[in-house]
Amino acid sequence: MAIPRAARTQRRTRIQEEKEEQILEAALDVFSVSGFRGSTIDQIAEVAGMSKPNLLYYFRTKEAMHRALIDRVLFTWLEPLRAFDAEGNPESEIRSYIRRKLEMARDFPRESRLFANEMLQGAPHVEDELKGPLKELVDEKAEVIRTWAKAGKIAKCDPYHLIFSIWSTTQHYADFDVQVRAVLGQDHAGAGRFEDAARFLEQLFIDGLKVKPVQGVS
Amino acid sequence: MAIPRAARTQRRTRIQEEKEEQILEAALDVFSVSGFRGSTIDQIAEVAGMSKPNLLYYFRTKEAMHRALIDRVLFTWLEPLRAFDAEGNPESEIRSYIRRKLEMARDFPRESRLFANEMLQGAPHVEDELKGPLKELVDEKAEVIRTWAKAGKIAKCDPYHLIFSIWSTTQHYADFDVQVRAVLGQDHAGAGRFEDAARFLEQLFIDGLKVKPVQGVS
DNA sequence: TGATAATTTGACCGATTGGTAAACATTACA
DNA sequence: TGTAATGTTTACCAATCGGTCAAATTATCA
């Protein structure tokens, strides 16, 4: 008789690892496009190439699949911000943060869309994580930025809105990919698009954050 | 006997105007949160305070409701970009464009989320509009920005990515509202948040686009 | 007012939804 | 190899889905 997944206490089988990975891969495909409510287990099953009951053998509910995905994404998505180094050079730290976020949007667009979908729906499954770990990490890095500004290393600015603007501009290329493609057309297609975006954003943020000479009567 | 809505040729009744508005208002509530696939006619009917068949008397299908909403949003959403004036002063044009987009994100967050949902799903209902009217408008305004840059009025930059970055940063406050709230907490709550965002973005874009002195051996 | 058109709804339809039960197939391991 | 645990599938369930129909109700206007 099959033992329900939740009751298992032993170490995981090789098959379990493989199949769970296979299911999450398919679930990411589906959830990232249609969101939680708009996705069906049947869709995921078809993409995964397995029967629906088989999926439910590894994840007891649709919500469990979504949960597993969100947890994973939330963690890796914050990697670049964690790497933000208080001891580093402000300009190069910001530059490489932008580049890393942009690379993630390019290499993991489904993860970005999954997260965006969750936000659009009011974060019903992750509000606690937002108010807890996420807020704490952002608070910490915002303090770093504030210190830099006070030391005159970058222009005075609201660190929170700076972080928001880096998030939004970079993730835009994953979340609004259709729109970007439609507007740019075939002219700016391919790998060049990524470099163009990187160049623009680095210029915007670096120049926008340069310390301005004190204004006064000249 | 009731005449199917699509067959009507006469002018619309007062009741028709009111009820259609009432339905679209409810549909916006639901679609903007759950997306097209994730929303149900029953949900919309409940929010609208009408029976499901009554909704389907005014809009023959769920898709017709969504279509009507998207069309309306697509038009008004581009208003600020249309107002972008080639003859105006670059700095103040960009500044007021940012402010207008930010006001829309504040005053019409549901419309922003409806659009974002559609983009995340790959724009299955509006891809033609994106490649047609939207692209044309953006091309036109991008040309204006390029002209400004060539004339030395603003820094040289890719005009398309500039527009993208203004879109993403402003709409972020509507689409990712939960996240913004969670991170800022109660400290930066209320109306002040809007002003903080406006101040930051205007500073970022204005300073980031200032013409830089030509680099060379000093 | 009366009759005609416009509006509204309860009952219902087949298809799809998330999820279950139990039989069947495969694997791991003594 | 045998057998017990693990993995897989067919058949199925109640609930919900988008949408229809006909009957009932309300508004319009000659």
Side-chain angles (χ1 to χ4, degrees):
Chain A
M1 187 194 307
I3 298 171
R5 186 178 132 64
R8 270 183 256 145
T9 51
Q10 324 279 39
R11 77 197 190 300
R12 287 163 55 192
T13 312
R14 172 186 53 87
I15 295 185
Q16 277 171 39
E17 302 239 19
E18 285 177 11
K19 288 299 166 87
E20 285 177 10
E21 199 52 44
Q22 193 178 333
I23 291 169
L24 289 182
E25 171 70 19
L28 181 56
D29 259 12
V30 177
F31 281 136
S32 66
V33 169
S34 303
F36 181 74
R37 287 221 47 186
S39 304
T40 71
I41 304 182
D42 295 86
Q43 284 181 314
I44 300 173
E46 195 186 334
V47 173
M50 316 167 53
S51 68
K52 178 167 63 171
N54 204 5
L55 258 74
L56 291 163
Y57 172 72
Y58 290 101
F59 297 91
R60 286 187 308 175
T61 62
K62 174 178 156 184
E63 196 153 351
M65 299 179 209
H66 190 255
R67 181 89 224 170
L69 271 179
I70 285 276
D71 282 349
R72 181 188 298 193
V73 167
L74 249 180
F75 183 85
T76 62
W77 211 243
L78 288 174
E79 272 301 314
L81 187 55
R82 265 188 231 103
F84 207 90
D85 183 11
E87 311 302 322
N89 171 269
E91 189 174 308
S92 65
E93 283 302 313
I94 290 172
R95 193 188 296 274
S96 65
Y97 180 54
I98 291 171
R99 188 158 277 265
R100 257 188 285 243
K101 286 291 289 179
L102 211 45
E103 282 167 357
M104 292 194 69
R106 178 193 59 185
D107 299 334
F108 308 102
R110 295 176 304 171
E111 282 81 352
S112 181
R113 283 196 277 264
L114 178 81
F115 187 70
N117 253 310
E118 183 65 14
M119 292 302 105
L120 281 178
Q121 284 159 33
H125 306 96
V126 292
E127 210 174 356
D128 291 343
E129 282 88 337
L130 296 186
K131 291 181 178 171
L134 173 68
K135 176 171 166 49
E136 282 162 32
L137 179 62
V138 175
D139 280 341
E140 176 194 327
K141 300 305 182 180
E143 195 49 43
V144 170
I145 295 173
R146 200 192 307 274
T147 306
W148 287 344
K150 278 197 174 163
K153 294 178 180 174
I154 59 171
K156 281 197 168 64
C157 71
D158 186 319
Y160 291 96
H161 292 285
L162 170 58
I163 292 173
F164 291 155
S165 62
I166 295 178
W167 284 351
S168 60
T169 48
T170 53
Q171 291 172 9
H172 186 79
Y173 291 97
D175 303 343
F176 286 68
D177 180 63
V178 225
Q179 196 189 43
V180 171
R181 282 177 195 276
V183 168
L184 292 185
Q186 300 306 330
D187 331 339
H188 306 66
R193 231 180 49 199
F194 172 81
E195 277 307 325
D196 287 349
R199 198 175 307 115
F200 171 82
L201 289 180
E202 287 177 12
Q203 176 189 322
L204 175 70
F205 282 99
I206 298 302
D207 290 345
L209 293 175
K210 278 232 169 71
V211 184
K212 262 71 64 182
V214 184
Q215 287 190 7
V217 194
S218 69
Chain B
M1 188 192 309
I3 297 171
R5 185 179 133 64
R8 268 184 260 149
T9 52
Q10 324 279 37
R11 77 195 190 300
R12 287 162 58 193
T13 312
R14 172 185 52 86
I15 294 185
Q16 277 170 40
E17 302 239 18
E18 285 178 10
K19 288 299 167 90
E20 286 178 10
E21 200 52 43
Q22 192 177 334
I23 291 169
L24 288 182
E25 171 70 20
L28 181 56
D29 260 11
V30 178
F31 281 135
S32 66
V33 169
S34 303
F36 181 74
R37 288 221 48 189
S39 304
T40 71
I41 304 183
D42 294 86
Q43 284 180 312
I44 300 173
E46 195 185 334
V47 174
M50 317 168 53
S51 66
K52 178 166 65 172
N54 203 6
L55 258 73
L56 291 163
Y57 171 74
Y58 291 101
F59 297 90
R60 286 187 307 174
T61 62
K62 173 179 156 185
E63 197 152 349
M65 299 179 210
H66 190 254
R67 181 88 223 170
L69 271 180
I70 285 277
D71 283 349
R72 181 189 298 193
V73 167
L74 249 179
F75 184 84
T76 62
W77 211 243
L78 289 174
E79 271 303 312
L81 187 55
R82 266 187 230 102
F84 207 89
D85 185 10
E87 310 301 322
N89 170 269
E91 189 174 308
S92 66
E93 283 301 314
I94 290 173
R95 192 187 298 274
S96 65
Y97 180 53
I98 291 172
R99 188 158 278 267
R100 257 188 284 244
K101 286 290 289 178
L102 211 45
E103 283 167 357
M104 292 194 69
R106 179 194 59 186
D107 300 334
F108 307 102
R110 295 176 305 171
E111 282 81 351
S112 182
R113 284 196 277 263
L114 179 81
F115 188 71
N117 253 310
E118 183 67 13
M119 291 304 104
L120 281 178
Q121 284 159 34
H125 306 97
V126 292
E127 210 176 352
D128 292 343
E129 282 89 336
L130 295 186
K131 290 181 178 170
L134 173 69
K135 176 172 166 49
E136 283 163 31
L137 179 62
V138 175
D139 280 341
E140 176 194 328
K141 301 304 182 181
E143 196 48 44
V144 171
I145 295 172
R146 200 192 306 275
T147 307
W148 286 345
K150 278 197 174 163
K153 294 179 179 173
I154 60 171
K156 282 197 168 65
C157 71
D158 186 318
Y160 290 95
H161 292 285
L162 171 58
I163 292 174
F164 291 153
S165 63
I166 295 178
W167 283 351
S168 59
T169 48
T170 52
Q171 292 172 10
H172 186 80
Y173 292 97
D175 303 344
F176 286 68
D177 180 61
V178 226
Q179 195 188 43
V180 171
R181 281 178 196 277
V183 168
L184 291 186
Q186 300 305 330
D187 331 337
H188 306 66
R193 229 179 51 198
F194 172 81
E195 278 307 326
D196 287 349
R199 197 175 308 116
F200 171 82
L201 290 180
E202 286 178 12
Q203 176 190 322
L204 175 70
F205 282 100
I206 298 303
D207 290 346
L209 293 175
K210 278 231 169 72
V211 184
K212 262 71 61 180
V214 184
Q215 289 191 2
V217 193
S218 66

